[in-house]
């Protein structure tokens, strides 16, 4: 299923979910993910509780995806149609991913509301914890090789 003309955050999340289904993943409840991911099956969950963030508040990931012979992958989804506060949120997002979780993660970002400088900064944060920053089209290509 090819998703075109994604217009908002919910559409982007639906596109990611559709891509996971296309790759043969099965959706499970987030409360069942940890137990089922040990069975080396292709599963994912939405709204997965990650624990406390750097401000000691609850945080969730949009998606958690099982990977064979590796820890699960966290996917965060960001959409901004018009310029706004998304650029200012990037350092907070990166700090949480790197300091408070044990998972590798990637960020899928789309829309036109983030600045090029902020996106470049975000991509410069890629390392062993934050493994990719992709738009939806790039995510679709990436999944075929890495999931």
């Amino acid at each position: 299923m090819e998703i075109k003309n994604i217009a908002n955050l919910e559409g982007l999340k639906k596109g990611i979910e559709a891509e996971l289904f296309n790759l043969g993943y099965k959706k499970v409840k987030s409360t069942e993910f940890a137990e089922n991911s040990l069975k080396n099956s292709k599963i994912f969950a939405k709204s997965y509780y990650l624990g406390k963030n750097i401000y000691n508040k609850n945080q969730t990931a949009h998606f958690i995806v099982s990977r064979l012979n590796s820890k699960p992958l966290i996917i965060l989804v960001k959409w901004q149609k018009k310029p706004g506060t998304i650029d200012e949120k990037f350092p907070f997002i990166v700090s949480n991913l790197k300091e408070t979780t044990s998972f590798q993660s990637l960020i899928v970002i789309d829309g036109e509301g983030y600045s090029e400088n902020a996106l470049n900064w975000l991509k410069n944060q890629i390392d062993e914890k934050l493994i990719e920053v992709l738009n939806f089209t790039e995510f679709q290509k990436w999944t075929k090789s890495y999931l």
Side-chain angles (χ1 to χ4, degrees), residues 23-28 32-44 64-70 72:
L23 293 168
Y25 281 81
K26 177 184 171 191
K27 184 163 76 170
V28 299
E32 299 170 355
F33 181 86
E35 179 184 334
N36 287 311
S37 69
L38 299 174
K39 299 175 183 172
N40 281 332
S41 56
K42 292 177 82 170
I43 61 170
F44 74 94
I64 187 165
V65 181
S66 66
R67 298 185 291 177
L68 295 177
N69 305 315
S70 188

Side-chain angles (χ1 to χ4, degrees), residues 41-99:
S41 56
K42 292 177 82 170
I43 61 170
F44 74 94
K46 294 172 66 175
S47 300
Y48 186 78
Y49 177 70
L50 293 172
K52 300 293 184 178
N53 68 18
I54 59 174
Y55 297 150
N56 204 33
K57 294 187 175 186
N58 293 340
Q59 67 176 332
T60 58
H62 293 107
F63 296 90
I64 187 165
V65 181
S66 66
R67 298 185 291 177
L68 295 177
N69 305 315
S70 188
K71 280 187 172 183
L73 175 70
I74 295 296
I75 301 174
L76 294 183
V77 184
K78 298 297 170 191
W79 172 271
Q80 187 79 23
K81 183 174 177 90
K82 297 179 181 175
T85 61
I86 189 74
D87 294 359
E88 299 164 9
K89 295 175 184 173
F90 289 161
F92 176 75
I93 293 165
V94 170
S95 291
N96 282 318
L97 291 173
K98 292 185 179 189
E99 296 176 30

Side-chain angles (χ1 to χ4, degrees), residues 22 31 36 78 84 97 129 140 145:
N22 286 341
T31 54
N36 287 311
K78 298 297 170 191
L97 291 173
K129 291 281 296 249
Q140 288 178 302
S145 296

Side-chain angles (χ1 to χ4, degrees), residues 1 3 6 10-20 22 136 139-140:
M1 175 179 176
I3 305 291
I6 294 174
E10 288 307 311
L12 184 54
K13 287 192 239 177
K14 286 179 183 176
I16 291 168
E17 187 172 1
E19 186 66 25
L20 293 171
N22 286 341
F136 183 67
F139 173 77
Q140 288 178 302

